[in-house]
Amino acid sequence: MILLKYDIEENMDYTRLIRKNILALEPYSTARDEFKGGDISVWLDANESPYQNGVNRYPDPHQKTLKLRISSLFAMPAESIFVGGAGSDEAIDLTFRIFCQPGVDNAVAITPSYGVYSVAAAINDVELREVELGAGFSLPVERILAATDDRTKLIWICSPNNPTGNAFPKEEILRIADSFGGMVVVDEAYGDFSDRGSMLPEISGRGNIIVLRTFSKAWGMAGLRCGMAFADPAVIAYYDRVKYPYNMSSRVQREILERIEKGTGGHVGEIKSERIRLAEGLAEARCVLEVYPSDANFLLVRVIDADDVYSWLTDNGVIVRNRSRLPLCAGALRITVGTPEENDATLRLMKEYSPKKY
């Protein structure tokens, strides 16, 4: 392993990792940015339609009210929060754009993992070095660090990981963060379903940790597309500089706030309970070879013939994800934990499956 040229033994300013053109970037200033407050009744500064219909005005480009509510929800300072309007994917793309010089820098990621990391890397012309997980889908700390060099700006760790479902020990992620001179991005999209604990509390003591969260999974807002990045305020300031000005509509901001107040309705607890029941039931099916442990809202299940079992399920009205072509996932299907009734239907079909009669 070759550490970055920056001295990680010092209490370094990790904004030094940011691309020079991003450091020099003068962000777009909206009409609402330039307005400093006052008693205004006639708004003629932003070339909006003057006819009130509920959406004729531009939304708050900085989502101040939403960030304050998220701050309370996650016990993180508002200035440490970026809110994206395309789920976590916007934050993933921005991270590459902020830190990685196209055609020069590289990033390291585990595999198998969330596919958008490689797509975003390719779009931004950044080499992505993928390191296979260890035995039992464990985190290969030493091999991850060995894959870095003096042009490695990012390490991506999805925990709980998709599609394997397992969360990695916090001490292992911290070992990587403490040994690496770049940014460690921990994607906790499925963190609400895990009892392993979040990396959010570690941000205040380590300037090189970025944590991604989303309202798509546990909060049931996948259709609203809201993701978050949490980091040192000096780092988050550059996400706000680089993002497009109005990246989340006013209606979406309002609806997210309303749904946060309603809570998750006990759904997280039910999903965790159903995850256990579904795993036990699948293990009884003759076509199932292994059900892997999960800290997420899905199970990775190895079956005797992934393509055939997948076709059997879809032909009978149940769709799962065939992950059998990913590294280390040969013969595996990823099955999301549904409602009790949906899980019953899935279990029934899995137990009825027979290669001879299908």
Side-chain angles (χ1 to χ4, degrees), residues 32 58-66 243 245-248 250 253:
R32 299 302 183 254
Y58 283 110
D60 174 8
H62 303 296
Q63 306 101 17
K64 297 184 195 71
T65 302
L66 180 57
K243 79 174 183 69
Y246 303 106
N247 63 326
M248 180 174 287
S250 52
Q253 292 183 49

Side-chain angles (χ1 to χ4, degrees), residues 43 86 89 100 108 136 140 157 160 165 178 187 201 241 251 261 279 301 314 344 351:
W43 297 85
D89 296 348
C100 295
V108 173
I157 300 173
D178 290 342
D187 188 344
R241 280 194 188 194
R251 280 190 170 177
E261 295 312 310
V301 183
T314 55
D344 287 341
K351 291 176 181 180

Side-chain angles (χ1 to χ4, degrees), residues 17-22 95-106 124-127 151 153:
L17 297 167
I18 294 170
R19 289 167 49 185
K20 290 181 180 179
N21 65 304
I22 300 299
T95 304
F96 278 108
R97 283 199 272 154
I98 291 167
F99 291 101
C100 295
Q101 184 72 32
V104 176
D105 293 327
N106 67 74
N124 288 283
D125 192 19
V126 175
E127 177 194 358
R151 298 311 314 179
K153 293 291 187 69

